[in-house]
């Protein structure tokens, strides 16, 4: 298992990958279909997405496991296949990454509200343990807990990964900007509070993904660095804010536009830069050139 923290200590700005959902839909993923089942039923397609980002210059590749918590998989009748699906996701990305790139085992939110008592904390925690163990077994170097909104759920995910694996752990939240210039999660966590939650739970790398274009991410990194100058920070921005055109959600920020903001992200204090919704290998390729 490789150490991402050791690599970051060398002072380099590293580039992660871009969107997975966009690529899957372009390959034929249908609305209402389970994206993570493609790891088993469309192995070559998923491997092709991972290789596309590696070939574009990504130093690390995520796994196609964002929605693979047993609670989410239950909606597709796949709850009992959670370990298999997560392990397969990691094996695919490991095959694309080879020995000289990092694999980030992706864990997203469950989609349930802990505060509403929809499920127990134990069920959520146990499901995160299943994911983390499978992702580590499949070859992940890092467990990437991402797109979090609820601090309590984030804590359960980080602790599950920490207690179930020897992997390094990153945790990112999604923020929306208010009219006053502040950024908060849907559950009301500020940037500073969310980062503190992640660190206290045991995250090694913190940051933000989704919800903002790269300009918004510059602001978020600056807010992180107002209270934390040492913890490595990852940002994965959307290709701009979503726009609805003819009933289709589009992300219109070009690779050149995103790459043009990379220097600002570096100056703000980001250590790992990548893409989220709407980004492609072309966006990653442009970012790689921007950090050279």
């Amino acid at each position: 298992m490789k150490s991402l923290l050791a690599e970051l200590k060398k002072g380099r700005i590293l580039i992660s990958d871009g969107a997975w959902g966009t690529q899957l839909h372009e390959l034929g993923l249908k609305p209402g279909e389970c994206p993570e089942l493609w790891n088993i039923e469309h192995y070559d397609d998923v491997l092709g997405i991972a290789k596309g980002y590696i070939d574009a210059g990504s130093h690390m590749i995520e796994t196609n496991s964002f929605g693979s918590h047993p609670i989410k998989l239950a909606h597709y009748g796949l709850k009992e296949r959670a370990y298999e699906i997560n392990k397969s996701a990691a094996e695919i990305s490991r095959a694309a990454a080879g020995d000289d790139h990092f694999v980030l085992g992706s864990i997203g939110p469950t989609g349930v509200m802990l505060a509403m008592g929809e499920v127990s904390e134990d069920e959520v925690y146990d499901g995160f343990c299943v994911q983390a163990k499978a992702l580590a077994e499949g070859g992940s170097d890092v467990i990437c807990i991402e797109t979090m909104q609820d601090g309590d759920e984030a804590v359960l995910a980080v602790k599950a990964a920490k207690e179930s694996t020897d992997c390094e752990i990153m945790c990112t939240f999604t923020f929306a900007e208010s009219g006053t210039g502040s950024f908060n999660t849907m559950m009301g966590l500020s940037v500073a509070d969310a980062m503190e939650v992640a660190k206290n739970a045991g995250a090694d790398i913190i940051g933000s993904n989704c919800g903002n274009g790269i300009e918004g991410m510059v602001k978020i990194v600056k807010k992180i660095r107002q209270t934390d100058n040492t913890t490595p920070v990852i940002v994965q921005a959307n290709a701009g804010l979503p726009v609805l055109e003819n009933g289709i959600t589009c992300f219109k920020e070009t690779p050149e536009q995103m790459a043009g903001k990379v220097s600002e992200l570096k100056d703000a204090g980001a250590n790992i830069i990548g893409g989220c919704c709407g980004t492609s290998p072309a966006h990653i390729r442009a970012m790689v050139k921007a950090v050279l």
Side-chain angles (χ1 to χ4, degrees), residues 137-209:
E137 177 68 22
S140 297
D141 303 293
V142 178
I143 301 299
C144 176
I145 296 151
E146 56 183 342
T147 325
M148 286 289 157
Q149 302 277 358
D150 181 352
D152 291 338
E153 184 175 29
V155 167
L156 290 174
V158 172
K159 287 187 174 180
K162 196 173 183 67
E163 293 167 6
S164 300
T165 77
D166 294 323
C167 294
E168 294 168 343
I169 302 164
M170 61 173 60
C171 183
T172 66
F173 287 78
T174 299
F175 302 97
E177 187 173 9
S178 71
T180 61
S182 64
F183 287 83
N184 298 90
T185 71
M186 184 177 65
M187 300 299 288
L189 280 175
S190 69
V191 173
D193 287 345
M195 298 304 103
E196 197 64 23
V197 164
K199 288 188 297 179
N200 287 343
D204 302 297
I205 300 166
I206 56 176
S208 181
N209 77 299

Side-chain angles (χ1 to χ4, degrees), residues 15-79:
I15 301 295
S16 66
D17 59 1
W20 277 77
T22 307
Q23 304 296 305
L24 288 167
H25 283 292
E26 287 182 359
L27 291 171
L29 177 71
K30 303 290 191 301
E33 189 178 357
C34 178
E36 292 79 18
L37 189 58
W38 273 49
N39 299 328
I40 295 164
E41 296 187 347
H42 300 274
Y43 177 97
D44 289 340
D45 287 326
V46 179
L47 180 63
I49 293 171
K51 283 185 173 179
Y53 285 122
I54 294 295
D55 291 345
S58 294
H59 298 109
M60 59 200 75
I61 185 74
E62 289 199 51
T63 58
N64 182 39
S65 55
F66 177 81
S68 294
H69 191 287
I71 289 173
K72 269 200 165 182
L73 291 177
H75 297 299
Y76 303 101
L78 298 170
K79 181 178 181 179

Side-chain angles (χ1 to χ4, degrees), residues 223-243:
K223 288 185 178 294
I224 294 173
R225 290 307 188 204
Q226 286 173 4
T227 57
D228 186 327
N229 288 318
T230 58
T231 308
V233 169
I234 178 171
V235 289
Q236 294 170 300
N238 291 345
L241 297 176
V243 177

Side-chain angles (χ1 to χ4, degrees), residues 21-22 25-26 210 238-253 277-279:
T22 307
H25 283 292
E26 287 182 359
C210 204
N238 291 345
L241 297 176
V243 177
L244 197 63
E245 291 186 348
N246 300 317
I248 299 173
T249 301
C250 303
F251 296 86
K252 307 192 75 172
E253 207 161 78
C277 300
T279 57

